[in-house]
Amino acid sequence: MLAIAIIEDQAAIRESLAEYLDAQPEFRCVLAAESVERFLACIGDVNPSPRLVLSDIGLPGGRSGIEGLPLIRQRLPQAEVVMLSVFVDAERVFEALRAGAVGYLEKSTMPEQVKEALLQVAAGGSPMSPAVARHVVRYFQPRRPDEELLSPREQQIVRAIEDGLSYKLIAAKLGISVETVRNHIRHVYAKLQVNSKLEALAELRRRGR
């Protein structure tokens, strides 16, 4: 079983997710905390350590879910973090991915789909919900000729996700394996992070810093 932890301030959602995931044969929910601070205070007493962390963004306390990402990764270097949030604006989506999240889901995602997304992460994938896919499409189009673009296959996959297709349906439609779909999504996330760093450096140079 995969050890999983949840960071969510709304008790009803936190308890519902914990109960659902703990009832699945693939998972064992070892910690459910209402804030990053509470999570960090309790994680040392948890055994086994979580391999997957599902975290909200808007949290009480001094740190948001995004601000907590580096701290979580520092304490749990082997764990993967997936964001689950009502916020699906491009700024927060990309900020979370650049801070180390391996996936980003809307809080309206059904529990069964959350489970599937976490299993994708455990298998080496990076789940992306349709709202995130829309931001990715807009981010890369149009781009300047000297910037890294999505490959034709990556564009096909992101647009299919935007249309609401599952990885399995995308694989069948394109005649490729689910593992190949996961790899392409990983590459898309990697390009987002590389581009952001290049743009940040260019902006600093423009400002003479």
Side-chain angles (χ1 to χ4, degrees), residues 98 136 139-140 143 147-152 154-155 184-199:
R98 292 161 188 164
V136 172
Y139 182 84
F140 281 103
R143 308 297 289 172
E147 291 183 311
E148 190 173 19
L149 299 172
L150 294 181
S151 70
E154 288 166 350
Q155 291 180 44
H184 280 304
I185 295 301
R186 282 277 191 181
H187 293 158
V188 170
Y189 279 150
K191 287 181 179 181
L192 286 170
Q193 293 171 4
V194 168
N195 284 341
S196 71
K197 292 174 184 175
L198 292 175
E199 289 169 3

Short mmCIF file of all heavy atoms in Angstrom, two decimals, residues 98 136 139-140 143 147-152 154-155 184-199:
data_model
loop_
_atom_site.label_atom_id
_atom_site.label_comp_id
_atom_site.label_asym_id
_atom_site.label_seq_id
_atom_site.Cartn_x
_atom_site.Cartn_y
_atom_site.Cartn_z
N ARG A 98 6.27 25.09 -10.31
CA ARG A 98 7.67 25.51 -10.23
C ARG A 98 8.23 25.32 -8.83
O ARG A 98 9.45 25.20 -8.65
CB ARG A 98 7.80 26.96 -10.67
CG ARG A 98 7.53 27.15 -12.16
CD ARG A 98 7.20 28.59 -12.50
NE ARG A 98 6.77 28.70 -13.90
CZ ARG A 98 6.13 29.74 -14.40
NH1 ARG A 98 5.84 30.77 -13.63
NH2 ARG A 98 5.77 29.75 -15.67
N VAL A 136 -1.83 25.71 -19.92
CA VAL A 136 -0.63 25.26 -20.64
C VAL A 136 -0.72 25.62 -22.11
O VAL A 136 0.23 26.13 -22.70
CB VAL A 136 -0.44 23.73 -20.46
CG1 VAL A 136 0.69 23.23 -21.36
CG2 VAL A 136 -0.13 23.39 -19.01
N TYR A 139 -0.20 29.27 -22.49
CA TYR A 139 1.16 29.67 -22.15
C TYR A 139 2.10 29.49 -23.34
O TYR A 139 2.97 30.31 -23.57
CB TYR A 139 1.65 28.84 -20.97
CG TYR A 139 3.03 29.18 -20.49
CD1 TYR A 139 3.24 30.23 -19.59
CD2 TYR A 139 4.14 28.48 -20.92
CE1 TYR A 139 4.50 30.56 -19.14
CE2 TYR A 139 5.41 28.80 -20.47
CZ TYR A 139 5.59 29.83 -19.58
OH TYR A 139 6.85 30.14 -19.15
N PHE A 140 1.92 28.40 -24.08
CA PHE A 140 2.84 28.10 -25.16
C PHE A 140 2.42 28.68 -26.51
O PHE A 140 3.16 28.56 -27.48
CB PHE A 140 3.01 26.59 -25.30
CG PHE A 140 3.94 26.00 -24.26
CD1 PHE A 140 3.44 25.32 -23.17
CD2 PHE A 140 5.31 26.13 -24.39
CE1 PHE A 140 4.28 24.78 -22.22
CE2 PHE A 140 6.16 25.60 -23.45
CZ PHE A 140 5.66 24.93 -22.36
N ARG A 143 4.34 31.59 -29.08
CA ARG A 143 5.65 31.76 -28.47
C ARG A 143 6.61 32.32 -29.51
O ARG A 143 6.43 32.16 -30.71
CB ARG A 143 6.21 30.43 -27.96
CG ARG A 143 5.25 29.68 -27.05
CD ARG A 143 4.95 30.43 -25.78
NE ARG A 143 6.10 30.46 -24.90
CZ ARG A 143 6.18 31.17 -23.79
NH1 ARG A 143 5.17 31.96 -23.45
NH2 ARG A 143 7.24 31.11 -23.01
N GLU A 147 12.01 30.26 -28.45
CA GLU A 147 11.60 29.63 -27.20
C GLU A 147 11.17 28.19 -27.45
O GLU A 147 10.74 27.83 -28.54
CB GLU A 147 10.46 30.42 -26.56
CG GLU A 147 10.89 31.77 -26.03
CD GLU A 147 9.76 32.49 -25.35
OE1 GLU A 147 8.67 32.56 -25.93
OE2 GLU A 147 9.95 32.99 -24.23
N GLU A 148 11.32 27.39 -26.42
CA GLU A 148 10.98 25.98 -26.53
C GLU A 148 9.48 25.79 -26.64
O GLU A 148 8.71 26.24 -25.79
CB GLU A 148 11.52 25.24 -25.31
CG GLU A 148 11.43 23.73 -25.42
CD GLU A 148 12.12 23.04 -24.26
OE1 GLU A 148 12.33 23.70 -23.23
OE2 GLU A 148 12.43 21.86 -24.40
N LEU A 149 9.05 25.12 -27.69
CA LEU A 149 7.63 24.90 -27.92
C LEU A 149 7.25 23.48 -27.54
O LEU A 149 8.09 22.60 -27.41
CB LEU A 149 7.30 25.12 -29.40
CG LEU A 149 7.58 26.51 -29.98
CD1 LEU A 149 7.39 26.48 -31.49
CD2 LEU A 149 6.63 27.53 -29.36
N LEU A 150 5.95 23.28 -27.38
CA LEU A 150 5.48 21.92 -27.21
C LEU A 150 5.58 21.19 -28.54
O LEU A 150 5.30 21.75 -29.60
CB LEU A 150 4.02 21.92 -26.75
CG LEU A 150 3.71 22.50 -25.38
CD1 LEU A 150 2.21 22.38 -25.11
CD2 LEU A 150 4.49 21.82 -24.29
N SER A 151 5.98 19.93 -28.50
CA SER A 151 6.03 19.13 -29.72
C SER A 151 4.60 18.86 -30.19
O SER A 151 3.64 19.01 -29.41
CB SER A 151 6.72 17.79 -29.43
OG SER A 151 5.91 16.98 -28.61
N PRO A 152 4.43 18.48 -31.45
CA PRO A 152 3.07 18.17 -31.93
C PRO A 152 2.36 17.13 -31.07
O PRO A 152 1.16 17.26 -30.79
CB PRO A 152 3.32 17.65 -33.35
CG PRO A 152 4.56 18.36 -33.78
CD PRO A 152 5.41 18.43 -32.53
N GLU A 154 2.94 16.48 -27.85
CA GLU A 154 2.61 17.09 -26.56
C GLU A 154 1.38 17.98 -26.68
O GLU A 154 0.52 17.99 -25.80
CB GLU A 154 3.81 17.89 -26.04
CG GLU A 154 4.96 17.01 -25.57
CD GLU A 154 6.25 17.79 -25.39
OE1 GLU A 154 6.32 18.97 -25.80
OE2 GLU A 154 7.21 17.21 -24.85
N GLN A 155 1.27 18.71 -27.80
CA GLN A 155 0.09 19.54 -28.02
C GLN A 155 -1.17 18.69 -28.11
O GLN A 155 -2.21 19.05 -27.55
CB GLN A 155 0.26 20.35 -29.31
CG GLN A 155 1.34 21.43 -29.23
CD GLN A 155 1.47 22.19 -30.54
OE1 GLN A 155 0.47 22.56 -31.14
NE2 GLN A 155 2.69 22.42 -30.97
N HIS A 184 5.06 12.25 -21.67
CA HIS A 184 4.86 13.51 -22.40
C HIS A 184 4.39 14.61 -21.44
O HIS A 184 4.84 15.76 -21.55
CB HIS A 184 3.84 13.33 -23.52
CG HIS A 184 4.41 12.71 -24.76
ND1 HIS A 184 5.50 13.24 -25.44
CD2 HIS A 184 4.05 11.59 -25.45
CE1 HIS A 184 5.77 12.50 -26.49
NE2 HIS A 184 4.91 11.48 -26.52
N ILE A 185 3.50 14.28 -20.50
CA ILE A 185 3.03 15.28 -19.55
C ILE A 185 4.18 15.73 -18.66
O ILE A 185 4.31 16.93 -18.34
CB ILE A 185 1.87 14.73 -18.70
CG1 ILE A 185 0.65 14.46 -19.60
CG2 ILE A 185 1.47 15.73 -17.61
CD1 ILE A 185 0.14 15.67 -20.34
N ARG A 186 5.03 14.82 -18.25
CA ARG A 186 6.23 15.18 -17.47
C ARG A 186 7.07 16.17 -18.24
O ARG A 186 7.58 17.15 -17.69
CB ARG A 186 7.05 13.92 -17.17
CG ARG A 186 6.52 13.07 -16.05
CD ARG A 186 6.97 13.59 -14.70
NE ARG A 186 6.68 12.65 -13.64
CZ ARG A 186 6.93 12.86 -12.37
NH1 ARG A 186 7.46 14.00 -11.98
NH2 ARG A 186 6.65 11.95 -11.46
N HIS A 187 7.25 15.93 -19.54
CA HIS A 187 8.06 16.83 -20.37
C HIS A 187 7.41 18.21 -20.47
O HIS A 187 8.10 19.23 -20.48
CB HIS A 187 8.24 16.24 -21.77
CG HIS A 187 9.06 14.99 -21.79
ND1 HIS A 187 9.00 14.06 -22.79
CD2 HIS A 187 9.96 14.52 -20.89
CE1 HIS A 187 9.83 13.07 -22.53
NE2 HIS A 187 10.42 13.31 -21.38
N VAL A 188 6.09 18.24 -20.56
CA VAL A 188 5.38 19.52 -20.62
C VAL A 188 5.64 20.32 -19.35
O VAL A 188 5.97 21.51 -19.39
CB VAL A 188 3.87 19.31 -20.82
CG1 VAL A 188 3.11 20.62 -20.63
CG2 VAL A 188 3.58 18.73 -22.20
N TYR A 189 5.53 19.68 -18.20
CA TYR A 189 5.79 20.36 -16.92
C TYR A 189 7.23 20.84 -16.86
O TYR A 189 7.52 21.95 -16.39
CB TYR A 189 5.51 19.42 -15.76
CG TYR A 189 4.05 19.29 -15.39
CD1 TYR A 189 3.55 18.11 -14.84
CD2 TYR A 189 3.15 20.34 -15.59
CE1 TYR A 189 2.22 17.99 -14.48
CE2 TYR A 189 1.82 20.22 -15.23
CZ TYR A 189 1.36 19.05 -14.69
OH TYR A 189 0.04 18.93 -14.34
N ALA A 190 8.15 20.01 -17.34
CA ALA A 190 9.57 20.41 -17.32
C ALA A 190 9.80 21.65 -18.18
O ALA A 190 10.55 22.55 -17.80
CB ALA A 190 10.43 19.25 -17.82
N LYS A 191 9.16 21.72 -19.32
CA LYS A 191 9.31 22.88 -20.19
C LYS A 191 8.74 24.14 -19.54
O LYS A 191 9.29 25.23 -19.69
CB LYS A 191 8.63 22.63 -21.55
CG LYS A 191 9.37 21.65 -22.43
CD LYS A 191 8.67 21.44 -23.76
CE LYS A 191 9.45 20.48 -24.64
NZ LYS A 191 8.81 20.28 -25.96
N LEU A 192 7.67 24.01 -18.83
CA LEU A 192 7.11 25.15 -18.12
C LEU A 192 8.12 25.71 -17.13
O LEU A 192 8.31 26.92 -17.01
CB LEU A 192 5.84 24.74 -17.37
CG LEU A 192 4.59 24.50 -18.20
CD1 LEU A 192 3.50 23.87 -17.35
CD2 LEU A 192 4.10 25.81 -18.79
N GLN A 193 8.79 24.85 -16.41
CA GLN A 193 9.75 25.28 -15.40
C GLN A 193 10.99 25.90 -16.04
O GLN A 193 11.49 26.91 -15.59
CB GLN A 193 10.12 24.09 -14.52
CG GLN A 193 8.96 23.61 -13.68
CD GLN A 193 9.24 22.30 -12.97
OE1 GLN A 193 10.34 21.79 -13.04
NE2 GLN A 193 8.25 21.77 -12.29
N VAL A 194 11.46 25.29 -17.12
CA VAL A 194 12.63 25.84 -17.81
C VAL A 194 12.31 27.21 -18.37
O VAL A 194 13.06 28.17 -18.22
CB VAL A 194 13.09 24.89 -18.94
CG1 VAL A 194 14.10 25.59 -19.85
CG2 VAL A 194 13.70 23.64 -18.35
N ASN A 195 11.18 27.33 -19.04
CA ASN A 195 10.80 28.61 -19.63
C ASN A 195 10.67 29.70 -18.58
O ASN A 195 11.06 30.84 -18.78
CB ASN A 195 9.48 28.47 -20.40
CG ASN A 195 9.67 27.76 -21.73
OD1 ASN A 195 10.78 27.69 -22.24
ND2 ASN A 195 8.60 27.24 -22.28
N SER A 196 10.12 29.34 -17.43
CA SER A 196 9.92 30.36 -16.40
C SER A 196 11.25 30.90 -15.91
O SER A 196 11.40 32.08 -15.64
CB SER A 196 9.13 29.77 -15.22
OG SER A 196 9.90 28.85 -14.49
N LYS A 197 12.24 30.02 -15.78
CA LYS A 197 13.56 30.46 -15.32
C LYS A 197 14.22 31.36 -16.35
O LYS A 197 14.83 32.37 -16.00
CB LYS A 197 14.44 29.24 -15.04
CG LYS A 197 13.97 28.42 -13.84
CD LYS A 197 14.78 27.15 -13.70
CE LYS A 197 14.24 26.30 -12.55
NZ LYS A 197 14.92 25.00 -12.46
N LEU A 198 14.10 30.98 -17.63
CA LEU A 198 14.68 31.80 -18.68
C LEU A 198 14.04 33.18 -18.72
O LEU A 198 14.71 34.19 -18.86
CB LEU A 198 14.51 31.11 -20.04
CG LEU A 198 15.33 29.83 -20.26
CD1 LEU A 198 14.97 29.21 -21.60
CD2 LEU A 198 16.82 30.13 -20.21
N GLU A 199 12.72 33.21 -18.58
CA GLU A 199 12.01 34.49 -18.61
C GLU A 199 12.36 35.34 -17.39
O GLU A 199 12.50 36.56 -17.50
CB GLU A 199 10.51 34.23 -18.66
CG GLU A 199 10.06 33.68 -20.01
CD GLU A 199 8.64 33.17 -19.98
OE1 GLU A 199 7.99 33.31 -18.93
OE2 GLU A 199 8.19 32.63 -20.99
#
